[in-house]
C-alpha cells in the first residue's frame, strides 16, 4: 500500500489559489492509499485542462493524453493490463464536451475503471469559455450575452449510458469525496464521479458560497433503483451529492477470455510469429 507521501511528487501543482483541483488531487491520493494499492498498481490518465495536470502530481503510472481522448487511452491501458487500477481524472469540458463521444461509449462497455470529473462548469485552461455544464445564462468570453442552451446532466447521462456506479462529490468536502473514490475503485465496473469544484478565476457564479447554499448529502435513497436514481439526478432546486446508482453487471474484461488468466502485457509472446501479419504491410 502506498502512503500519501509516496504518492506525492516533488513538483507542486501550479493552480490558482482556492482552485478545487487541489482538494480533488488530495482525495485521489488518499483514496488510492486507502484502497490498499501500491504505486505501480495504478495508472492515472487525463485529457487536457487545468486539472488534467493531475497525472504529473501523483506518483503512479500516468498519461496526459489528447483533449477529450483520455478514456480511449485508459481503455487501451486497461485491456493491455487488466490488473491495473485505471483511473481518469479530467475536467468537464474535456470529458463532457470534447470527449463526449468517448464518455458515452466507454460507459456502455462497463470496463472496470474509475472516472473522476473535475466539474467547474467552465473551460479554465483556455481562459474562461462556456463549458457543457455551464448554467443557462452564464456569461463568459464565448457567450457574452449568456448561455442559451440547457447544461448537460452528467448524472442522468451516465446512468442512461450504462455506467454501473454513478456518484457526485464536492471538492470542498474532501473526506466524503475520498470515500466515493475508494468505493468507485473497489466497484467492479465503470464508475463515474462528477465532482463540483470552484474555478476561482473564471467562474464567479458557482462559487464555494454558492455550492454551500445548494448542496446536501443523499440519505435514504435506494441506489439499486434506476428510476429513483434518474429522478434524484434531475433535481435542480438543490444539488444532492453522494451515490446515485450502483449495479453489478459483467465487465468488458469478463467477456474477453484472452485476458481472464493473465493480462495481455504479461503473456509470453516469444513463440508467436508476427511475420505473416507484418508482410501484409509491405
Ligand atoms: Fe483552477 Fe480555474 Fe485557475 Fe484553472 S483557471 S487553475 S480551474 S481556478
Ligand atoms: Mg472545466
Amino acid at each position: 500500500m502506498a502512503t500519501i507521501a509516496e504518492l506525492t511528487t516533488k513538483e507542486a501543482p501550479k493552480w490558482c489559489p482556492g482552485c478545487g483541483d487541489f482538494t480533488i488531487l488530495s482525495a485521489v491520493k488518499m483514496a488510492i492509499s486507502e484502497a490498499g494499492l501500491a504505486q505501480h498498481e495504478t495508472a492515472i490518465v487525463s485529457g487536457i485542462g487545468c486539472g488534467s495536470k493531475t497525472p504529473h502530481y501523483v506518483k503512479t503510472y500516468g498519461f496526459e493524453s489528447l483533449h477529450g481522448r483520455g478514456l480511449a487511452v485508459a481503455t487501451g491501458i486497461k485491456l493491455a493490463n487488466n490488473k491495473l487500477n485505471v483511473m481518469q481524472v479530467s475536467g468537464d469540458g474535456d470529458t463532457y464536451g470534447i470527449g463526449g463521444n468517448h464518455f458515452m461509449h466507454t460507459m456502455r462497455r462497463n470496463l472496470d475503471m474509475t472516472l473522476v470529473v473535475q466539474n467547474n462548469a467552465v473551460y479554465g485552461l483556455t481562459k474562461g469559455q462556456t463549458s457543457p455544464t455551464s448554467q443557462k445564462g452564464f456569461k463568459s468570453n464565448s457567450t457574452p450575452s449568456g448561455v442559451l442552451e440547457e447544461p448537460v446532466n452528467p448524472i442522468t447521462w451516465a446512468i442512461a449510458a450504462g455506467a454501473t456506479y454513478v456518484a457526485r462529490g464536492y471538492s470542498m468536502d474532501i473526506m466524503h469525496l475520498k470515500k466515493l473514490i475508494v468505493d468507485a475503485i473497489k466497484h467492479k465496473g465503470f464508475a463515474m464521479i462528477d465532482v463540483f469544484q470552484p474555478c476561482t478565476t473564471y467562474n464567479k457564479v458557482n462559487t464555494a458560497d454558492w455550492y454551500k447554499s445548494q448542496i446536501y448529502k443523499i440519505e435514504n435513497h435506494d441506489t439499486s433503483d434506476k428510476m429513483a436514481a434518474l429522478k434524484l439526478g434531475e433535481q435542480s432546486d438543490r444539488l444532492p451529492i453522494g451515490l446515485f446508482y450502483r449495479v453489478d453487471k459483467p465487465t468488458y474484461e469478463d467477456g474477453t477470455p484472452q485476458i481472464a488468466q493473465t493480462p495481455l502485457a504479461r503473456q509470453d509472446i516469444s513463440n508467436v510469429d508476427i511475420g505473416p501479419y507484418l508482410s501484409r504491410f509491405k
Side-chain angles (χ1 to χ4, degrees):
M1 178 195 99
T3 63
I4 303 292
E6 287 168 340
L7 291 168
T8 302
T9 54
K10 281 187 191 146
E11 186 183 357
K14 297 174 188 70
W15 293 315
C16 309
C19 176
D21 286 339
F22 285 104
T23 43
I24 295 173
L25 171 65
S26 297
V28 166
K29 288 193 288 187
M30 288 161 71
I32 291 170
S33 179
E34 193 169 313
L37 295 158
Q39 288 164 286
H40 68 278
E41 291 175 316
T42 289
I44 299 180
V45 181
S46 68
I48 297 296
C50 295
S52 286
K53 291 288 171 196
T54 296
H56 295 254
Y57 308 135
V58 189
K59 244 182 181 173
T60 59
Y61 293 118
F63 196 114
E64 187 182 359
S65 77
L66 297 175
H67 210 347
R69 309 295 168 234
L71 285 173
V73 174
T75 298
I77 293 172
K78 188 70 190 182
L79 292 180
N81 187 351
N82 55 310
K83 298 289 184 215
L84 275 178
N85 166 44
V86 177
M87 306 176 74
Q88 170 163 320
V89 184
S90 266
D92 49 307
D94 186 77
T95 308
Y96 306 135
I98 313 282
N101 195 310
H102 292 294
F103 179 64
M104 61 183 180
H105 290 294
T106 308
M107 285 187 291
R108 74 186 174 88
R109 293 186 185 114
N110 197 33
L111 289 134
D112 184 14
M113 305 197 301
T114 299
L115 169 65
V116 177
V117 185
Q118 302 145 315
N119 181 3
N120 53 17
V122 73
Y123 280 93
L125 186 71
T126 46
K127 302 202 178 302
Q129 294 81 15
T130 288
S131 93
T133 51
S134 300
Q135 285 182 359
K136 200 169 179 179
F138 181 75
K139 292 183 178 172
S140 75
N141 297 339
S142 58
T143 53
S145 304
V147 179
L148 295 174
E149 307 103 311
E150 294 289 342
V152 303
N153 184 329
I155 302 297
T156 54
W157 188 6
I159 295 169
T164 50
Y165 176 106
V166 179
R168 180 193 280 145
Y170 177 43
S171 64
M172 309 293 268
D173 194 339
I174 187 166
M175 299 312 282
H176 180 260
L177 176 59
K178 183 247 327 180
K179 176 153 187 348
L180 290 176
I181 302 175
V182 171
D183 291 347
I185 291 172
K186 290 181 177 171
H187 171 72
K188 195 166 178 286
F190 193 90
M192 198 287 294
I193 308 171
D194 181 67
V195 186
F196 287 145
Q197 67 155 106
C199 168
T200 46
T201 301
Y202 293 113
N203 189 337
K204 305 296 184 188
V205 176
N206 309 111
T207 61
D209 284 343
W210 182 85
Y211 281 120
K212 199 173 169 187
S213 70
Q214 298 292 312
I215 281 172
Y216 76 95
K217 284 189 182 137
I218 296 171
E219 284 175 2
N220 305 319
H221 162 64
D222 179 1
T223 56
S224 66
D225 185 336
K226 193 174 197 175
M227 297 316 289
L230 286 166
K231 194 171 174 205
L232 192 60
E234 281 286 345
Q235 186 176 359
S236 58
D237 55 333
R238 289 185 70 209
L239 299 172
I241 60 169
L243 181 61
F244 287 75
Y245 184 59
R246 187 189 172 285
V247 66
D248 290 317
K249 278 190 179 171
T251 62
Y252 191 90
E253 302 91 296
D254 288 337
T256 315
Q258 296 88 342
I259 56 174
Q261 301 300 325
T262 311
L264 212 52
R266 297 210 187 110
Q267 291 181 21
D268 180 8
I269 56 167
S270 57
N271 61 350
V272 176
D273 179 13
I274 61 169
Y277 302 104
L278 292 178
S279 65
R280 289 160 52 185
F281 296 98
K282 281 184 183 167

